[in-house]
Amino acid sequence: MVDTSHLSEKAQKDLIFVERAIKGDQSAYAFLMERYRESIYFTMLKMVNNSDDADDLTIEAFGKAFRKLHQYTPNYAFSTWLFKIASNNAIDFLRNKKKNTALSLDTKMENDEG
C-alpha cells in the first residue's frame, strides 16, 4: 500500500474517488469533475483569454486525465496532476494557434523596397 500521509485531507478524499473511478464508478468521475471543473475553466480562461476555447480546453483536460487515470500515482495530489495536464494542454493549444495563425490578404505588408 502506498503511503499517503503527505497528502492533505482533501487530496486523500480525492484519491478515494480516483480509485473508485478507476474501477468504473461513474459517480466518482462526476464528483471529481464537479470538484475541479470551475477551477480548471478559470485557469484555462486566464491562459487563453477566450471563454469558448477555455470551455473546450476544460473538457479536453478532463478527458485526457480520465483516460490516463490509471497512471496517476499519489506522489502528488490529484488536483496537482489534473492542473498539470490542463495547463500542458493549454500550452500546446496556444503553440498550435500561434503556428497556424494565417495572415490576412487585406494586411498591408512591406519589405525593404516598399
Side-chain angles (χ1 to χ4, degrees), residues 24-49:
D25 183 343
Q26 294 300 311
S27 66
Y29 284 109
F31 172 85
L32 293 167
M33 189 165 187
E34 183 61 31
R35 179 174 260 196
Y36 293 106
R37 181 178 42 217
E38 191 172 294
S39 299
I40 294 289
Y41 169 78
F42 284 112
T43 300
M44 298 299 92
L45 186 58
K46 283 182 200 174
M47 293 181 76
V48 301
N49 203 28

Side-chain angles (χ1 to χ4, degrees), residues 54-74:
D55 275 334
D56 292 344
L57 288 167
T58 299
I59 293 166
E60 285 177 25
F62 280 103
K64 286 181 178 186
F66 289 163
R67 279 191 301 278
K68 296 179 182 212
L69 204 53
H70 63 281
Q71 294 177 358
Y72 168 72
T73 58

Side-chain angles (χ1 to χ4, degrees), residues 80-99:
T80 303
W81 184 76
L82 177 62
F83 276 87
K84 188 68 173 173
I85 289 171
S87 60
N88 285 345
N89 195 41
I91 290 167
D92 289 345
F93 170 81
L94 291 169
R95 278 189 192 132
N96 288 334
K97 188 174 180 179
K98 184 177 180 181
K99 186 170 58 175

Side-chain angles (χ1 to χ4, degrees), residues 104-108:
S104 169
L105 295 176
D106 296 326
T107 304
K108 186 175 180 180

